[in-house]
Amino acid sequence: MPEADKVPAPPVPPSPPTGAQAVHRALNLLHCFHDNGPDLSASDLARRMRLSVSTAHRLARTLVSTGFLEQDTHTARYRLGPTVAELGQLTFHQRGLHLAGPELDVLARRTGATADLAIRSGPHAVILVGGSVRPDDGLGLRRPLHSTALGKVLLAWPGAGDPEPASLGSLTAFTDRTITELHALEEELAGVRAAGHALNDGESAAGVRTLAVPVLDCAGQARFALAVRSTPDRLTSDRLPGALAQAKTCAAALTVLLLPPDQRAA
């Protein structure tokens, strides 16, 4: 082929610095424990991260030395360490989330439903406070954004830098009512913004109805999503307007409790 006809090879993107790559891998390793499953071996971690066992073991041992992981002396398996728990408690209080519990309890009593407060974490809504948080270990739930009322609220009023709905990739069907097409999800989100609230009617689990509203900041971003959840025979169509009013009152109270004065919506 003549020199003029040769197609130049595409530029090779630079590899991330070794230090940055190691930090990225270490943080991804911590994410392997999100499902709150059993302790994980080095082989388990390697398989989930698509790394060699020796690399996964080396990363895990580094995290053990800093308290982010701990290793069972009998099984050699890993679990989250005390440093993660300490940082979790610190951020919980720094965000003022300990103040949200009493407000959610009042909302639950007034609506007869489970009340939850969530934030966005990647493609999930993570419940931090409320009736869905397990009393034994303080863990909430990670739920897909596209199939939940909490998630729809967080998608409808995204924060700065939050990815677009298209970044969610394939939308998994959990019931025959789950939205699985991107264009349908975008239409749903437009309706959520127009209505000021989101509804999940059997989209994540059959026989579950959830109503959610945003806790907005002054930039119009949902810093949190607030939901009440029950069954259709308890959270009936006739009761939805009353539950919505109660949820909005609670969201207004949480705006004052959780956001600095200069970040609150007017």
Side-chain angles (χ1 to χ4, degrees):
M1 179 183 293
E3 288 291 332
D5 295 333
K6 288 185 178 179
V7 178
V12 177
S15 300
T18 302
Q21 185 181 47
V23 171
H24 185 73
R25 283 178 171 177
L27 293 174
N28 280 341
L29 188 145
L30 291 175
H31 282 288
C32 291
F33 296 87
H34 262 142
D35 58 4
N36 193 32
D39 295 355
L40 299 176
S41 67
S43 297
D44 295 330
L45 294 171
R47 185 168 54 255
R48 293 189 181 197
M49 297 184 64
R50 299 181 180 179
L51 297 173
S52 68
V53 175
S54 61
T55 299
H57 178 73
R58 185 169 62 251
L59 287 170
R61 291 301 302 163
T62 299
L63 291 169
V64 168
S65 69
T66 55
F68 285 91
L69 291 182
E70 62 182 18
Q71 188 176 30
D72 189 294
T73 56
H74 299 291
T75 66
R77 290 176 172 268
Y78 298 95
R79 65 177 69 93
L80 293 177
T83 299
V84 175
E86 181 182 6
L87 292 176
Q89 287 295 319
L90 284 172
T91 189
F92 189 84
H93 284 270
Q94 287 173 350
R95 288 175 175 265
L97 292 169
H98 60 293
L99 303 174
E103 295 294 333
L104 296 177
D105 289 342
V106 171
L107 177 61
R109 288 197 302 271
R110 289 178 175 174
T111 60
T114 300
D116 290 315
L117 189 70
I119 60 171
R120 179 173 178 173
S121 177
H124 295 95
V126 180
I127 298 173
L128 300 177
V129 193
S132 295
V133 176
R134 288 168 39 173
D136 57 337
D137 56 18
L139 294 175
L141 296 173
R142 294 170 60 82
R143 301 295 296 142
L145 293 173
H146 71 283
S147 64
T148 59
L150 287 167
K152 291 177 188 178
V153 162
L154 294 168
L155 287 170
W157 290 276
D162 282 344
E164 296 292 323
S167 69
L168 298 177
S170 177
L171 304 180
T172 302
F174 297 99
T175 73
D176 58 2
R177 295 187 177 188
T178 306
I179 296 174
T180 57
E181 299 294 336
L182 179 60
H183 70 88
L185 178 61
E186 290 175 335
E187 289 179 359
E188 176 78 0
L189 297 179
V192 168
R193 284 188 289 270
H197 67 274
L199 186 67
N200 164 17
D201 201 356
E203 296 169 46
S204 57
V208 176
R209 177 173 288 172
T210 308
L211 176 74
V213 298
V215 178
L216 297 172
D217 62 16
C218 59
Q221 300 168 351
R223 299 287 287 275
F224 303 92
L226 170 67
V228 289
R229 173 175 52 83
S230 189
T231 56
D233 61 329
R234 298 192 66 180
L235 197 59
T236 63
S237 298
D238 291 342
R239 293 178 180 174
L240 281 176
L244 177 60
Q246 294 289 347
K248 287 184 175 180
T249 298
C250 184
L254 293 176
T255 299
V256 175
L257 289 173
L258 303 179
L259 302 184
D262 62 338
Q263 296 180 19
R264 297 170 190 165

